[in-house]
Amino acid sequence: MTYTSLKAVRGALLAATAFLACLAPTPAQADPDSRGTSDTWLVLGVDQGETRTGTAPGRLLLCDPPQGHPRAIDACAELTAADGRIAGIPARDTYCPMVHAPVTAHAYGEWRGRPVEYTETFSNRCLMEARTGSVFALDGPRPS
């Protein structure tokens, strides 16, 4: 009986995906008057602790149309209302536990052609989400 490792299967799937991507037809030229995703994108990450370690995987957020993030529609709406400024998102009125478990949120990219660079450390994840809305809710949708 032959056993295949998970690493080998992942490698084969990655190679097959790359091969199929090369075969896909090139999309038609976009209308120059339409706003594309090339000038509105953010790479978001959350690290445990009070410094940016870079060990957490980043997530790409695109907003034209919203994609690449578990709560992309909400995050894009909040960023649009704050003109792309993460610090400009209104804080949610919520109760958070007084537990010191610091997290550092970081983002870089472009919002409507303007560079974005953001790093802030919060006492815990609840305070981070209360202050930044859905932008750094990278773990998936939360029940309402």
Side-chain angles (χ1 to χ4, degrees):
M1 181 175 256
T2 304
Y3 293 97
T4 306
S5 74
L6 186 57
K7 188 181 273 189
V9 170
R10 284 184 190 155
L13 288 174
L14 182 61
T17 303
F19 177 73
L20 291 175
C22 291
L23 295 177
T26 321
Q29 185 70 17
D31 180 11
D33 293 331
S34 68
R35 184 173 289 280
T37 58
S38 63
D39 68 345
T40 304
W41 58 273
L42 294 175
V43 175
L44 308 164
V46 178
D47 291 319
Q48 299 298 321
E50 297 180 7
T51 59
R52 181 177 175 189
T53 61
T55 57
R59 298 291 295 258
L60 178 64
L61 171 66
L62 301 172
C63 288
D64 296 323
Q67 57 186 326
H69 184 290
R71 295 175 61 190
I73 294 171
D74 296 334
C76 291
E78 292 164 356
L79 284 166
T80 298
D83 195 29
R85 296 178 311 107
I86 297 170
I89 295 172
R92 292 182 184 160
D93 188 20
T94 187
Y95 292 101
C96 290
M98 294 181 65
V99 174
H100 186 70
V103 292
T104 301
H106 50 90
Y108 70 89
E110 289 187 13
W111 185 265
R112 310 260 189 258
R114 291 188 325 253
V116 172
E117 191 74 34
Y118 175 87
T119 301
E120 188 169 349
T121 300
F122 299 89
S123 296
N124 57 47
R125 188 170 292 275
C126 178
L127 289 172
M128 176 192 68
E129 290 184 6
R131 186 64 192 95
T132 62
S134 301
V135 175
F136 291 102
L138 303 176
D139 296 335
R142 297 251 168 129
S144 298

